[in-house]
Amino acid sequence: IINYKRVAIQEFRYGSFITQMIPLIGYKLHLSLKVILIGYVVSFNLFYLVVISLLIYRCRQFGLGILMALYYFLFISDSYFWPVNEIHQAVAWMFLFFGSTFYLGKKQAHVGWLLPAFIILAFLTVFTHIVVIIPLFFLWIFFWLGKDNWPFSKQRSILLSTLLVAIVAVKFLFVGKQSYDSEHLNGVLKISLKDIIDSFNAPVVTTFLYRCITNYWITVLVFVTGLISLIKMKKTKL
């Protein structure tokens, strides 16, 4: 960033500009390399803090705020030195996307305000890291099926869902065949039943399942408690 005097976006992960601006501004201000590096490290957690503050104090989305906090606490508990990957930035953009979308929906904001905010934040979410597409669609469908706090009519829900799918489709077109992400997507797009069964023998999966008992046992309790609660409330789809 300092050598080329511009942000260093990799793999079309445009949302990473938010933290890359710090070393770029530091260079423009002629700050020392030590100060720039410290500022760059702080900028990641500062970005997450700003997003969760907006969720709580502006959007009043307390559930999203708690969920976001749990996500980062979980990663910090297992990998303290890995907060700088684009996936964590993508998750922050995702929570800001949901918080802003629900906030504007509840305020019955004009479509002229809703659509630009929706498209920009969805774009930053999806393009910052392709893996975030999984929780993005899961939460979108989960909230839509929940209906309790879903602020959109059926027509608007379909419109916004269509836009979301279109943005994901554009992301796949950008990834193409010659990128880091495309190599990993091949295994997902050409998956078979045998691959799914064999995956349970993969070291990363066995390690995860083991840690669900040792490190993440409380998340298992939360998961089971959530299932029981939904069954009692007769929300079988959720």
Side-chain angles (χ1 to χ4, degrees):
I1 295 170
I2 293 174
N3 285 340
Y4 291 98
K5 305 177 183 59
R6 63 174 184 268
V7 293
I9 303 298
Q10 299 176 335
E11 299 297 324
F12 311 107
R13 296 175 180 177
Y14 297 112
S16 62
F17 83 91
I18 195 71
T19 51
Q20 293 190 25
M21 291 300 295
I22 301 302
L24 189 62
I25 293 171
Y27 162 77
K28 297 289 186 181
L29 296 176
H30 304 288
L31 301 178
S32 68
L33 184 59
K34 179 179 180 180
V35 172
I36 291 175
L37 285 173
I38 292 173
Y40 187 51
V41 170
V42 170
S43 68
F44 287 87
N45 291 312
L46 183 61
F47 172 50
Y48 309 146
L49 178 62
V50 168
V51 171
I52 201 168
S53 298
L54 288 171
L55 290 178
I56 298 298
Y57 297 108
R58 181 62 178 175
C59 300
R60 313 301 289 178
Q61 295 291 330
F62 301 105
L64 289 176
I66 293 171
L67 188 60
M68 182 177 175
L70 287 173
Y71 169 84
Y72 287 106
F73 273 124
L74 180 62
F75 265 97
I76 289 297
S77 70
D78 200 60
S79 182
Y80 181 77
F81 298 101
W82 200 56
V84 297
N85 189 275
E86 288 100 333
I87 182 61
H88 304 311
Q89 294 172 289
V91 168
W93 285 120
M94 180 187 73
F95 277 107
L96 185 59
F97 161 76
F98 278 116
S100 300
T101 301
F102 293 158
Y103 174 78
L104 292 172
K106 289 182 178 180
K107 290 288 185 179
Q108 298 295 314
H110 188 272
V111 70
W113 288 102
L114 174 63
L115 289 185
F118 180 91
I119 292 171
I120 291 171
L121 290 173
F123 172 86
L124 290 172
T125 298
V126 172
F127 271 76
T128 302
H129 203 293
I130 199 165
V131 172
V132 83
I133 292 172
I134 298 170
L136 176 66
F137 275 108
F138 173 84
L139 289 173
W140 183 261
I141 295 171
F142 186 89
F143 291 137
W144 190 357
L145 289 177
K147 295 182 180 179
D148 294 338
N149 298 307
W150 187 256
F152 303 110
S153 64
K154 183 178 180 180
Q155 290 76 15
R156 281 203 174 184
S157 297
I158 294 174
L159 171 62
L160 295 177
S161 298
T162 303
L163 288 173
L164 197 58
V165 171
I167 292 170
V168 170
V170 172
K171 170 65 175 178
F172 274 79
L173 290 175
F174 268 69
V175 168
K177 298 181 179 180
Q178 303 296 326
S179 71
Y180 172 85
D181 288 330
S182 65
E183 178 184 347
H184 293 78
L185 280 174
N186 287 334
V188 178
L189 298 177
K190 299 177 181 179
I191 199 166
S192 65
L193 180 61
K194 183 177 182 299
D195 293 330
I196 295 174
I197 296 172
D198 291 343
S199 70
F200 286 97
N201 296 319
V204 66
V205 176
T206 55
T207 300
F208 170 75
L209 294 176
Y210 172 75
R211 289 178 179 175
C212 281
I213 301 172
T214 57
N215 292 20
Y216 317 136
W217 57 269
I218 196 169
T219 63
V220 177
L221 292 179
V222 171
F223 177 69
V224 173
T225 304
L227 287 178
I228 294 172
S229 299
L230 290 171
I231 291 171
K232 284 186 175 181
M233 292 185 289
K234 298 181 179 180
K235 295 183 178 181
T236 52
K237 288 182 179 180
L238 293 181

